[in-house]
Amino acid sequence: MESKLVFQDVVGLPTALLAVFAVDLAGPNDADALPVLLTTSDAVTDAAATFLTGGEFKAKLGETMLLHAPAGLKAERLLLVGLGKAKSLSVNEVRKGAGTAVRACKPRGIRELAIAFPEDHALSDEHLETLPCSLTARALVEGAELAELDWDTYKSDRKDQSITALTLVGKDGDRSTKAEIQEGFDEGIILADAQNFARHLVNEPGNVLTPTVLGARAKAMCESAGLACDVYGMDKLKELGMGSFAAVAQGSAEPPALIVMRYEPAGITDGPIIGLVGKGITFDTGGISIKPAENMDKMKYDMAGSAAMIGAMKAIAAIKPRVRVISVVCSAENMPSGTAFKPGDVVTAMSGKTIEIINTDAEGRLVLADGLHYARTLGCTHLVDAATLTGACVVALGYLNAGLFTNDEQAWAAFMKGVEKSGEGFWRLPCTDDYKPGIKSEIADMVNSGSRAGGAISAAMLLKEFVGDTPWIHLDIAGCAWNEELKPWLPKGPTGVAVRSITEWVRTYEA
């Protein structure tokens, strides 16, 4: 989709469809209040007046109303898009609204659309605080670009419903406002492109995206983005003493891939080095502790953590923050075979610590243990890892929030500051030393799987053993990496979760 930003009166814009946002003003004391369009254009308001006053359109989040041949406009169609309650309106609803507009066009055969930049000053201050122009523009283009993709990639009779052109229409205001909107628009394009790159990786079947192919695609991305990238195999794992990572990989005929990506801005020779570590299990059978057959096909998405890191590196290369970043991706298949690691085995991680294998399906924490330690040996001073690590986290938090664990209050505060911009959902869970007995082993330093109670915490506690005093954040994205239900603003399938949030976290450490 080709996206562009223009500044003009929406009334005179010729387009197949013009989308305008609306909010619901109804509250405890004004239940009969009518929806309000976020525009100061009298022509647009007049064209939609009948539907706003008749009660047919309520402006609920994701609700749409399509009007043909709107009077007074050059647009062929006018689409009203609800953003929900005015009092709770944030840029996240704006992001969803843009996605809703795009998704509404696709099945109707509409291949181009324009979205009117929401003019929040159309409302009184008691209903809405001013939305930052740059962040609003970014959210609009992110929502639109993320909504455009469909994931029926391998259907032989696939119908092309792609949107070819998007125009974001800002009001022709003062120069500073234009600059802010342009800045947000440009960043939104970068971040959505990076997130969509990650989603494409996650959507690939396991027979297509092997660890070797993941390494090749990461390397190709790095070459085009100007990043340094090295991809290593089993020999390197053995050379480094990555016994934990190697144990997971040894059951598969597919070789593992240790992917190291580097972003080194010119002139930055000191200061923090941010480490991004991703779990890249391109297919997870559970190994000897094999999973049930039902839903095992979804285990192609067990590399979503690595996709988030690769996507974040793509965004970082384009945004160019003034801070050094190293990403380590540990990719393998977890397969049952005569050479597979077994319950009861004891493996020695790169750090020298030993792990008793209780369950071979708890393999993600094993590859991350070596990845986190390796990132520290490369000089990383701050760490974040992302992984579809535990079903227990999904049980705890559902599909709306990913789990967040940390050993450092400042790192957590910086991450959550970035989440205010990214709009993604994370919920902090405990990771304190009083949970450490849950991973105690009788014959090794720790077990790789504790009891069912607090399973996500047990996994985080094992990872914590390999970061030392380094400020660290662990993201368990198992519940958010795949959209299980069709939403008005997003199709089913891979979400690319954490790309935006990780990128924003990195930016908080700029020199």
Side-chain angles (χ1 to χ4, degrees), residues 224-303:
S224 65
L227 300 173
C229 181
D230 294 300
V231 182
Y232 305 104
M234 182 64 88
D235 289 345
K236 185 68 171 181
L237 271 57
K238 292 179 179 178
E239 175 190 330
L240 293 171
M242 289 185 166
S244 185
F245 182 2
V248 176
Q250 71 189 38
S252 175
E254 292 287 345
L258 172 62
I259 306 164
V260 182
M261 297 169 281
R262 298 173 185 268
Y263 168 75
E264 298 179 350
I268 304 295
T269 57
D270 56 8
I273 302 176
I274 313 303
L276 315 182
V277 182
K279 171 189 173 184
I281 303 299
T282 58
F283 195 79
D284 181 19
T285 67
I288 297 299
S289 307
I290 198 162
K291 295 177 180 288
E294 186 176 2
N295 293 324
M296 193 196 289
D297 58 291
K298 291 182 180 178
M299 287 300 99
K300 69 176 187 177
Y301 98 130
D302 212 20
M303 40 62 65

